[in-house]
Amino acid sequence: LLARANRRVLIANDINLLDPGVATHVAQALDSRQVGVEREGISIVHDADFVLVGVFNSEGSEPSWLLRDRVGLIVDAAVDWSPDETAEIIERSVEFDNDPVSFVERFSKETAQLISEIKDARARLPRIRLSKTQVRHISQVALRLGVEGNRADLFAFKAARANAALAGRVEVTEDDLVAAIQFVLVPRATERPAPEERGEGRE
C-alpha cells in the first residue's frame, strides 16, 4: 500500500485508531520516503514518497506521536455548517456517487485553475526566503507555546514559505508567519501564554 502511494496522496481515516505497528511503518516511510519488504527470503525496497492526510476525531484518543511528529500541518476542521451548506454537501456527495465523470467535468475549470496556481507556487518557492528575524520569531513563539523538539520549527518555516508562494508573493509577510504558527505550532502547544504575551509575539 505504501509503495502504491508513491507520488500520490495517502488518506487515513480514523488515523488515531491505526494499529501501532502500521503507524510505525507509515512513520518510517515518511522519514525515508521508502518502504522495505523482507519476508520468506524476499528483500525489496520500494519508493514511498507520498503526502499523508490523516483524519481523526479530536474527542477520541490522540494519533500516534510518531505520526503527529512527522505531519507538518494540523488543521481543526470543526465548523458550524449552515443548513444551506449542509444541503450542498449532501447534494454534491449524491451527485458524485451517481455520475462521477459528470461531477468532475462540472468542476474541471476550477480544478485546472487550482492546479495552475499550485504549479506556479512551486516554481516560485525556491526564491522565497525568511529573514533571520522571521526565523527567530518562529523559534520564540515555539518556545512560548512549549512546543517540543525542533521539527515543528522547520515545518513552520516551510509552511510560511509555501503560504507566501501560493499567495503569489516572493517575500514572507506577517500573514504567512501567522498562518504557519496557527497550523503548525499552536496545535502542538503544551503551554498557553498570557494574552499580553500572545500580542508581543506578533510585533
Side-chain angles (χ1 to χ4, degrees):
L1 178 62
L2 297 180
R4 288 176 58 194
N6 184 49
R7 301 178 65 82
R8 299 181 180 182
V9 177
L10 179 65
I11 299 177
N13 288 316
D14 297 324
I15 195 169
N16 49 318
L17 301 181
L18 273 184
D19 178 86
V22 174
T24 298
H25 283 300
V26 175
Q28 291 173 343
L30 289 171
D31 279 340
S32 66
R33 299 183 181 181
Q34 293 182 325
V35 58
V37 178
E38 296 187 14
R39 63 185 180 192
E40 299 177 359
I42 298 175
S43 181
I44 305 174
V45 176
H46 297 282
D47 289 334
D49 185 4
F50 54 83
V51 173
L52 175 65
V53 176
V55 182
F56 78 102
N57 186 335
S58 59
E59 295 181 358
S61 60
E62 288 292 319
S64 163
W65 69 268
L66 287 172
L67 296 179
R68 191 178 179 88
D69 190 47
R70 287 161 175 78
V71 172
L73 306 180
I74 300 177
V75 181
D76 183 359
V79 177
D80 292 327
W81 300 104
S82 69
D84 289 342
E85 290 171 327
T86 301
E88 180 70 13
I89 292 172
I90 295 173
E91 289 173 1
R92 290 192 184 189
S93 178
V94 172
E95 181 181 348
F96 178 81
D97 289 341
N98 290 338
D99 192 347
V101 175
S102 296
F103 183 88
V104 171
E105 290 177 349
R106 176 184 168 191
F107 294 98
S108 60
K109 184 177 180 179
E110 292 89 341
T111 302
Q113 178 64 30
L114 182 58
I115 291 173
S116 177
E117 290 175 0
I118 293 173
K119 183 179 179 180
D120 291 343
R122 286 176 171 168
R124 194 179 298 115
L125 187 61
R127 294 181 285 142
I128 300 176
R129 298 286 185 272
L130 271 72
S131 68
K132 290 184 178 180
T133 300
Q134 290 172 326
V135 174
R136 189 178 301 112
H137 174 70
I138 288 175
S139 297
Q140 289 173 342
V141 173
L143 287 173
R144 289 180 180 179
L145 293 175
V147 177
E148 299 176 354
N150 299 114
R151 197 190 296 259
D153 294 46
L154 180 59
F155 282 147
F157 174 89
K158 292 181 177 180
R161 292 178 62 233
N163 197 69
L166 191 58
R169 295 188 289 270
V170 294
E171 293 183 356
V172 172
T173 67
E174 180 71 11
D175 289 342
D176 303 318
L177 293 177
V178 170
I181 291 168
Q182 178 183 359
F183 295 119
V184 178
L185 300 182
V186 171
R188 293 173 165 84
T190 60
E191 300 178 10
R192 296 292 177 182
E196 59 272 15
E197 292 181 325
R198 290 197 292 268
E200 291 172 2
R202 294 190 178 184
E203 289 181 358

